[in-house]
Amino acid sequence: MKQVFSFFLVLHIGVVAWSQSPLDSIQQLDEIVLKSDSYLQTFSDTQLTSVLKDSVLTRSASSLTQLLNNNGSIYFKENGLGMVSSPSFRGTTAQQTAVIWNGININSQFNGQTDFNTINIRNFNNITVRSGGGSVLYGSGAIGGSVHLNNNLKFNSGFQNKLYANYGSFNTLDLSYNGSISTDKFSVEIGLSRTSSSNDYPYVDSDKTNLNGQFYNATFSANVGYKINNKNVVKLYSYLFDSDRHFSLIFPSETPTKYQDFNTRNLLEWQGFYGRFISTMSLAHITEKYKYFPNIEKENFSFGDAKSFIGKYQLDYKILKNASLQGVLDLKTTTGEGSDIAKNERTISSFSLLFKQTFNKFLYEASLRKELTNNYESPLLYSLGLQYRVTPNYRININGSKNFRIPTYNDLYWFGSGNLELNPETSYQIELGNELKFNKLSFSVVAYYNDIKNMIRWLPNGSIWTPINTDKVLSYGLEAKFQFEQQFQAHKISLGSTYAYTVSENKETKKQLIYVPYHKATASLNYQYKRVSAYYQMLYVGEVFTLSDNNPKYVLDAYLLSNAGAEYAFGKHLNYTVGIQFENLFNVNYQAVVNRYMPGINYNFYINLNF
């Protein structure tokens, strides 16, 4: 890593020495915001992105699962409230959805996915969903799409504080504090959050109760920015997550188990603005630790421990006023070990080249990425997008890409079962989008086609289960999104809805993949009058197959859920809010996974103070 740091440092200083033009974009302004994920802003014009507003974040439970499940097209397979949560984005698997923290892919090195119930949303000021392939930008796993957790640093914004407290059914407590102080030179943000719950909800239409479901998680984040001068900015992002979660029982006679997580993330970034050049050097250190206790009454546990060092250098060059070129060098070294995995080290280096140009009514972007490693043969990845603005309010997007997912540590190194001959999963996809935007109304429809090869599956080989490249999956469908706002004097109304039609089938058997609904829809109605506001929210999930042969006897029924809430704002600037929410308003009996019953009607109260 010392050699990597020295190499990137020489590149950065070389650009500083070569370029002498003054910086125009970091002059003294009333407020300056530095974005943490430049790809998301620069190379996502031809694909659908959805930014979740602050009001939506405040009204949501703290888990990323509940936020996205109620406000988008991603389907979640959740083993009970607060338990393991696996996303299916455009009919893909959980390992094919990338989670990006301030531009860094944080999917697990062991199983290749992120449990969305281990992400507390209170520590981020921007959460964005990017649909479709993104492996050229974000590496392994960005096949169905990616979810972005960002902290954007502000300068010249003074001293700001936000305190949030929520208490509800099943002894659920959600607390968070976010504070920031900034001048024209410094910006510091601190975030603290804790969520806990007895999670002992009664099952609907039953005398049974959710047993052994208690959990807690705590997070700490600290983000610092310093402007060395008008050309150079240094940023540091830090994040810590600690949790203890018991796993709900299906039968009271089962042995209670639990799972502990402790993860850290640190990212140091030096960004320089030199006329037509923007030079960015990044160094990151990410740790991932877990312990699984098969019996909570005993001290015996299995474990996993992985550490990753990431070095990255990015150089942006403004070729013309309407055209830019970007080159990226990336090096990642991961060391991992566990109870069932011997200590192994994996080093992956990559080079990316990205280009974007706009002229008249057209915009196009093209990118390439190539990775090198001794662990598997990596394909050449590419993406090409075109946008045509038909009118000022209507545009058409088309995007095609090749994406991939690398084998995980479990796939390669599991004792007695790992397969060192595995190839990455690859995906060829194309999508066509239509977007219509006016001042108060927006509507978009995207059609996509995704051909996935070399799917990695664990299959029996005698008495041993082994991962092999076997399945070929075809995924296609439609995604639609609608937003409308209207204000009449002191009355404000907003409507929003999403709909996804998804076919995801095994190409050999022609059967729909398990736990992928054909239909999912959300809708929300918000009304505000002066200091009072209320909302009503719906979530519809179609039936899902639970067996790969699509046996109609083993289907989870469709369900329609309703949530409602009201809040009152007080204070001179309406910066204090109290509210009440009711979830599963009509006490629907439903399951997201077989025999994993979800709670009926439940409530919570919250207070949100901004000062």
Side-chain angles (χ1 to χ4, degrees):
M1 288 305 299
K2 290 181 180 178
Q3 293 175 340
V4 172
F5 177 79
S6 300
F7 176 65
F8 288 157
L9 187 62
V10 168
L11 281 177
H12 186 91
I13 293 175
V15 174
V16 174
W18 185 37
S19 177
Q20 301 296 326
S21 300
L23 170 67
D24 296 324
S25 57
I26 280 212
Q27 295 298 325
Q28 302 303 320
L29 304 175
D30 291 338
E31 182 179 81
I32 299 173
V33 179
L34 295 183
K35 311 277 186 182
S36 60
D37 186 348
S38 61
Y39 288 149
L40 189 61
Q41 306 296 322
T42 309
F43 290 98
S44 299
D45 290 280
T46 62
Q47 290 176 268
L48 181 65
T49 59
S50 300
V51 180
L52 298 173
K53 297 180 179 179
D54 289 341
S55 59
V56 175
L57 299 181
T58 301
R59 289 172 173 173
S60 172
S62 62
S63 82
L64 189 59
T65 295
Q66 293 194 49
L67 172 69
L68 298 182
N69 200 26
N70 289 312
N71 296 281
S73 59
I74 304 176
Y75 168 75
F76 287 91
K77 184 178 70 172
E78 191 175 10
N79 291 345
L81 182 66
M83 301 296 101
V84 175
S85 176
S86 304
S88 177
F89 202 154
R90 290 188 171 181
T92 60
T93 66
Q95 293 92 343
Q96 294 167 345
T97 297
V99 177
I100 311 300
W101 170 76
N102 291 311
I104 302 293
N105 190 322
I106 59 170
N107 279 17
S108 169
Q109 298 299 312
F110 293 105
N111 60 22
Q113 66 183 72
T114 294
D115 181 349
F116 278 56
N117 273 336
T118 65
I119 302 292
N120 191 311
I121 67 173
R122 306 294 179 210
N123 291 78
F124 309 103
N125 49 40
N126 178 278
I127 296 178
T128 301
V129 177
R130 185 182 190 271
S131 301
S135 289
V136 173
L137 304 181
Y138 299 108
S140 174
I143 293 177
S146 52
V147 178
H148 300 258
L149 315 171
N150 293 323
N151 299 99
N152 299 326
L153 289 166
K154 295 182 179 180
F155 292 85
N156 285 333
S157 60
F159 185 44
Q160 299 177 348
N161 297 273
K162 179 178 180 180
L163 184 63
Y164 179 86
N166 185 316
Y167 181 80
S169 299
F170 328 125
N171 193 32
T172 301
L173 182 63
D174 177 10
L175 301 172
S176 70
Y177 166 77
N178 291 276
S180 66
I181 184 169
S182 65
T183 65
D184 61 335
K185 284 282 189 180
F186 280 99
S187 177
V188 179
E189 293 182 349
I190 299 293
L192 297 166
S193 65
R194 178 183 169 93
T195 301
S196 62
S197 178
S198 299
N199 206 26
D200 53 352
Y201 55 87
Y203 295 162
V204 179
D205 302 327
S206 172
D207 58 357
K208 297 181 180 180
T209 301
N210 189 49
L211 300 176
N212 196 56
Q214 60 266 39
F215 65 86
Y216 88 84
N217 62 67
T219 59
F220 169 75
S221 65
N223 310 299
V224 181
Y226 173 61
K227 289 195 291 182
I228 301 172
N229 52 41
N230 281 348
K231 294 183 180 180
N232 296 277
V233 179
V234 176
K235 296 177 284 183
L236 174 65
Y237 303 95
S238 294
Y239 181 86
L240 182 150
F241 176 85
D242 177 54
S243 77
D244 189 303
R245 176 173 49 171
H246 291 212
F247 286 151
S248 298
L249 307 180
I250 295 178
F251 303 106
S253 59
E254 291 180 320
T255 301
T257 63
K258 70 176 182 179
Y259 194 89
Q260 295 178 343
D261 282 290
F262 185 80
N263 303 322
T264 66
R265 303 171 198 138
N266 293 280
L267 170 63
L268 178 64
E269 188 174 276
W270 176 11
Q271 195 166 36
F273 301 81
Y274 314 112
R276 292 190 176 188
F277 291 92
I278 300 177
S279 175
T280 307
M281 183 176 68
S282 305
L283 295 174
H285 179 228
I286 297 175
T287 69
E288 173 188 353
K289 297 180 181 179
Y290 73 83
K291 292 181 180 179
Y292 172 70
F293 294 80
N295 186 336
I296 62 174
E297 302 298 331
K298 299 181 179 180
E299 294 298 322
N300 299 329
F301 60 85
S302 58
F303 76 95
D305 186 354
K307 299 179 178 66
S308 296
F309 293 90
I310 302 169
K312 180 178 177 182
Y313 183 75
Q314 176 180 317
L315 181 62
D316 301 75
Y317 176 54
K318 196 80 169 179
I319 303 174
L320 301 168
K321 184 177 180 180
N322 63 341
S324 59
L325 179 68
Q326 182 180 108
V328 184
L329 291 174
D330 199 323
L331 181 64
K332 181 177 183 179
T333 298
T334 300
T335 302
E337 62 180 324
S339 303
D340 297 292
I341 297 175
K343 189 173 183 179
N344 285 277
E345 182 176 298
R346 176 165 70 184
T347 299
I348 303 172
S349 58
S350 69
F351 174 74
S352 302
L353 191 64
L354 306 97
F355 179 77
K356 176 180 177 180
Q357 185 175 17
T358 59
F359 55 95
N360 296 329
K361 296 182 178 181
F362 288 92
L363 176 151
Y364 70 92
E365 48 194 19
S367 53
L368 295 171
R369 179 188 180 106
K370 178 62 179 178
E371 290 193 353
L372 299 174
T373 182
N374 293 327
N375 300 103
Y376 51 85
E377 184 177 349
S378 179
L380 176 67
L381 306 178
Y382 54 82
S383 176
L384 179 63
L386 176 66
Q387 180 183 102
Y388 176 59
R389 191 173 294 275
V390 182
T391 70
N393 305 110
Y394 174 56
R395 65 186 182 187
I396 299 174
N397 299 319
I398 185 169
N399 184 279
S401 60
K402 181 179 181 180
N403 305 279
F404 81 143
R405 181 181 81 84
I406 66 176
T408 67
Y409 261 67
N410 290 358
D411 296 331
L412 294 171
Y413 306 122
W414 195 269
F415 282 141
S417 299
N419 182 359
L420 296 176
E421 303 300 320
L422 288 172
N423 291 316
E425 299 174 350
T426 57
S427 158
Y428 297 88
Q429 58 184 282
I430 188 169
E431 62 180 79
L432 177 64
N434 295 266
E435 294 184 61
L436 186 66
K437 289 187 177 182
F438 295 95
N439 290 334
K440 300 176 181 179
L441 180 147
S442 66
F443 178 71
S444 65
V445 178
V446 178
Y448 62 88
Y449 180 93
N450 191 359
D451 190 355
I452 305 172
K453 299 180 179 179
N454 287 328
M455 285 275 285
I456 299 173
R457 290 187 64 197
W458 284 69
L459 298 175
N461 182 12
S463 60
I464 300 175
W465 287 72
T466 303
I468 60 174
N469 293 110
T470 175
D471 280 355
K472 297 179 180 179
V473 173
L474 182 62
S475 175
Y476 60 91
L478 290 170
E479 290 178 343
K481 182 179 179 181
F482 172 80
Q483 293 283 339
F484 174 74
E485 292 185 358
Q486 182 64 58
Q487 186 162 355
F488 306 95
Q489 296 179 349
H491 302 270
K492 184 177 181 180
I493 296 176
S494 62
L495 297 169
S497 65
T498 67
Y499 170 73
Y501 171 71
T502 307
V503 176
S504 184
E505 62 181 24
N506 185 308
K507 292 179 71 173
E508 294 183 0
T509 65
K510 305 300 181 183
K511 302 294 185 181
Q512 180 87 342
L513 297 190
I514 62 173
Y515 292 104
V516 177
Y518 286 109
H519 305 280
K520 183 191 174 185
T522 68
S524 64
L525 170 63
N526 297 273
Y527 170 75
Q528 180 179 345
Y529 175 70
K530 295 183 178 179
R531 295 175 178 267
V532 179
S533 61
Y535 76 94
Y536 179 72
Q537 187 178 62
M538 291 192 302
L539 166 65
Y540 173 79
V541 176
E543 66 178 20
V544 297
F545 296 107
T546 62
L547 295 180
S548 57
D549 63 359
N550 289 182
N551 188 327
K553 295 182 179 179
Y554 300 94
V555 171
L556 284 182
D557 293 334
Y559 53 87
L560 176 65
L561 305 180
S562 296
N563 304 325
E567 60 185 31
Y568 177 78
F570 57 98
K572 183 178 180 180
H573 301 290
L574 305 183
N575 50 336
Y576 308 133
T577 305
V578 293
I580 183 173
Q581 297 174 313
F582 294 92
E583 298 186 354
N584 195 358
L585 188 61
F586 299 111
N587 206 36
V588 175
N589 185 358
Y590 74 104
Q591 305 166 61
V593 175
V594 173
N595 294 322
R596 298 292 186 178
Y597 293 91
M598 301 297 286
I601 184 171
N602 59 94
Y603 68 90
N604 63 80
F605 301 93
Y606 64 88
I607 182 168
N608 185 32
L609 308 177
N610 294 277
F611 54 95

